[in-house]
Amino acid sequence: QITLKEFGPTLVKPTQTLTLTCTFSGFSLSTSGVGVGWIRQPPGKALEWLALIYWDDDKRYSSSLKRRLTITRDNSKNQVVLTMTNMDPVDTATYYCAHSWFGKQGNWFDPWGHGTLVTVSS
Amino acid sequence: DIQMTQSPSSLSASVGDRVTITCRASQTISNSLNWYQQRPGKAPKLLIYVASSLQTGVPSRFSGSGSGTDFTLTISSLQPEDFATYYCQQSYTSPYTFGQGTKLEIK
């Protein structure tokens, strides 16, 4: 059974750097075809794709947030870490991590973690 | 970036109704299109991947179709637990963008 859980601060101040950790079980990020992604959702708004790290350590980022995001992995700890610099109140959102499977015709997120709400406020 | 546009943004329907939600991509994405369901306060759940493949455990009343730029999610007979928000997502090229969502409400 695949499970993921997000860990990180619930409150950050403007201009600070956010560090979120996704701890997972039930799969290995070294397995071909596997990835872990981050998605966020501001309160009452739509899902926004942020970043994805592949089994071969290839990394992809949101175009609009690319300069602020870094995704890394620690295979020994079964963790993926997302950092976002220069946080602003508009970054207030629930942040999800999710397992991604890459098939011949695309990739998809399944399952997702429960999400963690991060509020940006002074 | 590929833009994904869903219609309608919201929809009222009754239990037993047949409902169709549309997703349009700003450029061709072959069949690299996924659908997710999100109930209030919960994480999204995968329903359909590569346009028409039903995820294991998802009821057969859900179906997906389309290719190129136009896609549909159909619920053949609405059940009470289906009232939720639905999102499409393209996985053709990074960044793998989501649609803005369609909120399905009880009439």
Side-chain angles (χ1 to χ4, degrees), chain A residues 14 87-93 120-122:
Chain A
M87 292 293 284
D88 182 271
V90 300
D91 296 313
T92 294
V120 185
S121 174
S122 55

Side-chain angles (χ1 to χ4, degrees), chain A:
Chain A
Q1 180 190 6
I2 291 174
T3 63
L4 307 97
K5 190 168 184 179
E6 305 87 353
F7 296 91
T10 58
L11 179 66
V12 297
K13 290 180 168 47
T15 75
Q16 286 186 336
T17 294
L18 171 67
T19 299
L20 293 172
T21 300
C22 176
T23 299
F24 57 85
S25 64
F27 69 96
S28 170
L29 196 41
S30 299
T31 300
S32 180
V34 171
V36 172
W38 287 93
I39 307 97
R40 72 177 180 180
Q41 185 173 39
K45 296 188 177 181
L47 301 171
E48 180 181 13
W49 188 91
L50 297 178
L52 183 61
I53 187 164
Y54 294 71
W55 71 95
D56 59 0
D57 208 38
D58 192 7
K59 301 163 188 177
R60 303 297 171 94
Y61 295 99
S62 160
S63 298
S64 61
L65 295 170
K66 185 173 186 176
R67 286 181 294 179
R68 298 173 53 204
L69 292 174
T70 303
I71 189 169
T72 59
R73 66 180 186 174
D74 186 333
N75 287 351
S76 66
K77 295 182 179 179
N78 281 353
Q79 290 180 338
V80 170
V81 175
L82 182 75
T83 60
M84 181 180 294
T85 61
N86 194 25
M87 292 293 284
D88 182 271
V90 300
D91 296 313
T92 294
T94 296
Y95 286 76
Y96 296 98
C97 66
H99 169 272
S100 185
W101 179 253
F102 291 78
K104 289 182 180 179
Q105 295 164 304
N107 61 83
W108 47 91
F109 289 125
D110 180 69
W112 296 53
H114 290 116
T116 185
L117 175 61
V118 178
T119 301
V120 185
S121 174
S122 55

Side-chain angles (χ1 to χ4, degrees), chain B residues 52-102:
Chain B
S52 60
S53 295
L54 191 67
Q55 174 64 345
T56 302
V58 174
S60 59
R61 62 180 180 273
F62 291 92
S63 63
S65 65
S67 66
T69 60
D70 295 316
F71 301 85
T72 59
L73 172 70
T74 300
I75 311 172
S76 61
S77 178
L78 277 173
Q79 298 302 300
E81 61 268 28
D82 300 337
F83 291 94
T85 301
Y86 294 84
Y87 293 93
C88 63
Q89 181 214 7
Q90 64 84 15
S91 64
Y92 185 74
T93 188
S94 176
Y96 301 119
T97 41
F98 289 91
Q100 84 279 14
T102 295

